[in-house]
Amino acid sequence: MSDGRGLRLASEDGQASPAPPPPGPWAASRAEPPDPWRLFRLLRRQAWTFLGVVIAINLLAALFLWQATPAYKASALVIVDPWQRSMLDADRPEGGRPADAARVESEVEILRSPSVLLSVVNTLDLVRDPEFAPKRGLRARLASLLGLGPATLSTEQATRLTLKRLSQAITVTRRGATYVIEVAARSRDPEKAARIANQLAAAYIDAQIRAKVDFAADMQKRLAQQLESARAALREIDRKLDSFLDDNILQIEDAELRAELREIRSAIKEQEANRLRYDALAGRSRERARKREWDALIAELNSERMVRLQAQAAAIRQGPAPADSADTQTRLAQLDRQIDKEAQAVIARIAAEASTAQQNEAELRNRLSQRLTGPDVPADLVLHFREVEGDAAALRLVVDKLTTNSTTATAEIDLQLPDSRIVSAALPPSTPTYPDTPLIAGLAMAFSLLLGVSAAILRDSLSGGFADESALEAFSGVPVLASLPAIEVRRPGDKPAGEILDNPAGPYPESVRRLRLGLDLAPSVPRPQGTARVALVTAALPGEGATLTAIALARSFALSGRKTLLIDGNLREPGIHAALDRDRRHGLADHLAGRIAAVLPADAFLFDDVTPHLTVAAGPGDARLRVDALLQSGRLGNWLQTVRPAYDQIVIDSSPVLGVVDTLLWLRHVDDVVLVVEAATRARDVRAALRAMARGGRGTAHLWLALNHAARPRHRAFRTARIAPPTQPFGKNVPN
């Protein structure tokens, strides 16, 4: 047996199959371009699978969006000053060096540090906040019930767990290559998110100021220690100098010079004592002013204006207005600033007195040095004095420098500026950032469509079926002559077998005509002149529409003017007479069994169809008959040889290929075999049917395919033009 392209399936004599002809224009015409509607037709077949997956995933996404707790994100912006400045360095053009990338990244890490986060936790009392407060797990609760663990968390554990949850809720990032740092906080409450972000930024600024203040205080402490050591050394030198002068002043012969030197030394000691007293007073006053210890400061400075201002503040506090009212607080703040201003003015005057005493002391020492270097003073005395005076002068410079630095460090404790500042405070967001409804909905829709298409393709491949002619042809390697769409039932009581007569212009009759045209154009096996061409219509499984296709094909041949014979070759379960609404008592099986010839004419099982030129050989079957023996008997071949000259075309409806051998026994008597494949038939069933015909069939028939219940083509003109007369024979016969 050969298929439509000349491939040998089986032969009775075991000869090799001839080589197939070279591909011609017909073969090229069958190589169709990719069909963009193929996926659409597959989705239409698996519409419920596709829609089920899409709807399920989108419902899950909607359920997630409905159940998800919204989270709000608030962001504050902090800028790192590229220059490290100080209030005491305002006279200098630029202080420090510009900040580099490493410094900005370091500030980011400081913002994330536990110490800064701990300050936020303590300030906002997040340990008691329901969102950030630690919750004991099931394991910890069971352990406490069994007495294996504490009933409650310790303060340290609660704080540590709160810090962990807070660190997960904040994000600190640098904005590109700028000096700007974004401090973001997430919370279920938009107001809380803004508070956390702002408090984190403020805590970072406060920590930066505290670090600089602590550094300045430590520096001031060290400078004070060095200053005290230098002053002690200077006092020791002055003592030695005084002792030297006391021991050697009698060497000076001039009595007036001796008296003058004693007077200068006495004045130096007086100015030095004044300077030390004023310096100490200024230092104590600055410290008390910094700490706002006004009562002690007033008692020490004895300033009448400060006394009056302090009395006014006390009167306001004892007045009828509430102490915590806004007006009272404003007036007290104004008086506090006035007291501080007056205190700074008094301290400045004290510092000026100390500076005056220092200048006077320096002038007196210079005068003493000049008088001791005169001609009236012995040379050895002058030399030793210059040595000691030089050491004292150097120490005085050190003491002056240390005093200045100590004063500057003391002032910097209260005048420290942060190297960063908040440029944009966080505002409560109006919309949540989580869940991102548009993004999640879009991703869910895209994922559901992709998964739906994948599920449809997978189910279609697992459940079998063929989307179109090209899929069936690519799988089987056998030409598909036509795709038969499903018959539409327009009125109750319509018979599918009458579709070709009731609706001749419909899609189904047009597809049957295309099938008929394909058989007409196909090559035929050699047969005697004037005999009918025999076409066998079968299927792999029952219910694929082979009987309806055989009736429609026979009627199409008859409507074309050819005398046609339709034979119900399914001797086990014949169905053509029932499909045509004919009540028959005898069929082909009775004729082959010899039951008719004795009592009725030999053609008693034949009847004419309503279609002109169509005769039908059909009737009921008999389960008691051995169908295989009847099909192998010579009576069947003799009867076919008898009826062939009387008709132009014979169409035989046969049993399914799988399950029974009837179709294989019919093959030796036919010229063409049309295997009807329902679109939902599994691929393995089609493969099994082809294998069965290839191994068990005998004869020279050509094999063709017809796809039944296929999706209706959208481009009818293209599909109709698909059948074109072949320029070369595309089938080879294998003789018996």
Side-chain angles (χ1 to χ4, degrees), residues 1 481-482 484 515 519 534-540 546 549-550 553 651-652 654 657 663 667 670-677 693 701-707:
M1 178 180 175
L481 297 184
L484 306 176
L515 175 60
L519 291 174
V534 182
L536 177 72
V537 181
T538 184
T549 303
L553 181 61
V651 178
I652 303 174
S654 177
V657 176
T663 300
L667 293 179
V670 302
D671 303 313
D672 299 286
V673 177
V674 178
L675 180 66
V676 178
V677 179
M693 288 188 289
H702 290 281
L703 175 63
W704 315 96
L705 299 181
L707 183 62

Side-chain angles (χ1 to χ4, degrees), residues 498-551:
E499 178 71 11
I500 196 169
L501 301 178
D502 300 336
N503 187 26
Y508 184 79
E510 181 64 30
S511 299
V512 174
R513 286 191 287 270
R514 192 176 304 115
L515 175 60
R516 186 199 72 199
L517 179 60
L519 291 174
D520 288 342
L521 297 177
S524 177
V525 297
R527 64 180 186 275
Q529 185 71 25
T531 60
R533 185 171 180 174
V534 182
L536 177 72
V537 181
T538 184
L541 299 170
E544 295 196 62
T547 298
L548 185 59
T549 303
I551 295 174

Side-chain angles (χ1 to χ4, degrees), residues 85-95:
R85 303 178 185 274
S86 173
M87 286 291 293
L88 300 179
D89 294 333
D91 295 337
R92 290 190 293 178
E94 295 294 346

Side-chain angles (χ1 to χ4, degrees), residues 48-66:
W48 289 112
T49 301
F50 174 75
L51 292 177
V53 172
V54 171
I55 293 174
I57 293 180
N58 282 277
L59 284 178
L60 289 176
L63 180 62
F64 169 76
L65 292 175
W66 181 58

Side-chain angles (χ1 to χ4, degrees), residues 403-417:
T403 302
T404 302
N405 291 340
S406 179
T407 304
T408 302
T410 303
E412 282 188 348
I413 294 176
D414 296 326
L415 298 177
Q416 285 295 336
L417 292 177

Side-chain angles (χ1 to χ4, degrees), residues 528-611:
Q529 185 71 25
T531 60
R533 185 171 180 174
V534 182
L536 177 72
V537 181
T538 184
L541 299 170
E544 295 196 62
T547 298
L548 185 59
T549 303
I551 295 174
L553 181 61
R555 284 181 168 176
S556 180
F557 276 119
L559 290 173
S560 67
R562 279 174 274 188
K563 192 174 182 182
T564 306
L565 174 61
L566 173 60
I567 301 175
D568 192 345
N570 188 353
L571 303 183
R572 299 177 187 270
E573 296 180 358
I576 289 182
H577 67 288
L580 298 178
D581 270 343
R582 294 298 185 97
D583 186 13
R584 305 295 296 176
R585 297 182 60 188
H586 302 285
L588 179 59
D590 295 325
H591 173 71
L592 296 179
R595 295 178 177 180
I596 299 179
V599 294
L600 295 173
D603 57 353
F605 61 94
L606 301 177
F607 62 90
D608 292 332
D609 187 46
V610 295
T611 308

Side-chain angles (χ1 to χ4, degrees), residues 259-277:
E260 183 180 359
L261 291 177
R262 289 191 179 95
E263 182 181 354
I264 293 175
R265 288 179 58 201
S266 177
I268 289 175
K269 290 181 179 180
E270 181 182 0
Q271 294 299 325
E272 182 180 10
N274 292 336
R275 176 177 61 81
L276 293 176
R277 185 177 72 255

